[in-house]
Amino acid sequence: MDIERINENTVKFYISYIDIEERGFSRDEIWFNRDKSEELFWEMMDEIDDESDFEIEGPLWIQVHAMDSGLEVTVTRAYSAKDGQKFEPPFDMDEAKKMFQSDDESFNGIQGLDDFAKYEEPSDEDQKEFTFVLNDFDDLIPLSERMMEIADLETSLYFFNERYYLHVKVEIEEYSNEEIQDIVSMLSEFATKTNVTIYRLDEYGKLIMEHDVFEHVLKYFG
């Protein structure tokens, strides 16, 4: 995926259909399944946040241009009028009507998404979630030994695309932001943070351990 930072409030990225399929999504899902298209969108936004420091704040205006080889997407943080009441798009309504047209005009649009959409970032005020991919299952043993001292973590383990994925939920009421960053750093010593979502793992992956991954690993393999 190619990312271009336009300005403080706008970022543009291009993703090919090959890249989309490698992420576990089919073209039909992107065109006709709203849930899947939104899942892909937020996965890409996570990646953009990591690579370009484009923080997601409040409503976003999304402009999508479908091409023969992929999608070009422009994302702008919405800004309000002087009275603070009305959110205005960064492009006019004529542009909005054309945003889902392909180069050859044979594409009728991504069904399930409005031609002019305003998104709010999905959030959970009580938890933060992270997914890590492991190079080898054996890496879980020293990781589990290190993480056993950390309480109040919800963990699950999946097998997907010939690799193991560890999903971790942190109760934010139990830890400060700095402590959560420390937890992520500890996990990153043995695994790699990934943008693969828990929704894709639930649907396409195989659940290996539903909970208490570190305890189970040390019990059976430590």
Side-chain angles (χ1 to χ4, degrees):
M1 185 172 70
D2 297 323
I3 303 171
E4 178 184 0
R5 185 67 179 267
I6 305 301
N7 55 43
E8 180 181 356
N9 294 312
T10 302
V11 66
K12 179 185 291 187
F13 60 90
Y14 170 80
I15 184 168
S16 69
Y17 294 127
I18 293 176
D19 191 355
I20 289 173
E21 291 172 356
E22 287 178 347
R23 292 167 182 260
F25 300 88
S26 69
R27 292 197 191 188
D28 285 345
E29 287 176 333
I30 300 305
W31 302 151
F32 304 115
N33 187 315
R34 182 188 181 94
D35 290 339
K36 289 296 182 182
S37 58
E38 289 188 359
E39 180 184 339
L40 173 63
F41 172 77
W42 288 114
E43 180 177 310
M44 293 186 294
M45 289 307 298
D46 285 341
E47 185 173 332
I48 288 172
D49 184 29
D50 291 339
E51 295 186 14
S52 65
D53 194 28
F54 183 79
E55 185 176 355
I56 303 171
E57 296 178 337
L60 302 173
W61 295 112
I62 317 300
Q63 185 178 25
V64 180
H65 184 58
M67 297 179 289
D68 290 338
S69 57
L71 300 176
E72 182 183 80
V73 183
T74 302
V75 181
T76 299
R77 287 191 287 254
Y79 57 92
S80 59
K82 293 182 179 180
D83 59 8
Q85 298 297 318
K86 183 180 180 182
F87 286 106
E88 297 292 347
F91 34 80
D92 61 37
M93 291 309 295
D94 288 337
E95 290 176 320
K97 293 176 182 178
K98 297 177 181 179
M99 70 171 66
F100 288 108
Q101 291 181 353
S102 64
D103 289 338
D104 59 9
E105 297 184 354
S106 62
F107 176 66
N108 293 323
I110 301 179
Q111 297 183 12
L113 289 177
D114 297 331
D115 278 353
F116 190 54
K118 182 174 69 177
Y119 286 85
E120 292 279 3
E121 179 190 11
S123 62
D124 189 324
E125 296 181 353
D126 299 322
Q127 294 177 324
K128 283 194 174 182
E129 302 185 26
F130 307 95
T131 304
F132 293 83
V133 60
L134 296 126
N135 291 325
D136 192 278
F137 181 86
D138 288 342
D139 291 336
L140 271 173
I141 299 174
L143 174 59
S144 298
E145 293 173 346
R146 181 74 183 277
M147 298 305 297
M148 278 297 293
E149 63 191 63
I150 308 296
D152 299 312
L153 295 182
E154 295 184 28
T155 55
S156 54
L157 184 68
Y158 293 81
F159 188 70
F160 172 64
N161 281 349
E162 305 302 320
R163 304 181 78 180
Y164 289 95
Y165 288 80
L166 175 69
H167 185 69
V168 179
K169 292 182 182 180
V170 182
E171 297 288 342
I172 62 176
E173 292 184 354
E174 302 293 332
Y175 298 96
S176 66
N177 287 333
E178 291 76 14
E179 289 172 329
I180 292 175
Q181 290 176 4
D182 289 341
I183 291 172
V184 172
S185 296
M186 292 170 63
L187 289 163
S188 298
E189 293 179 19
F190 301 92
T192 303
K193 194 169 178 289
T194 176
N195 292 313
V196 174
T197 65
I198 187 62
Y199 307 105
R200 185 152 32 132
L201 293 175
D202 279 334
E203 182 162 354
Y204 298 105
K206 179 181 179 181
L207 180 62
I208 305 299
M209 298 180 187
E210 187 174 2
H211 53 78
D212 300 330
V213 172
F214 304 134
E215 291 87 340
H216 284 97
V217 167
L218 293 180
K219 179 178 179 180
Y220 296 105
F221 304 98

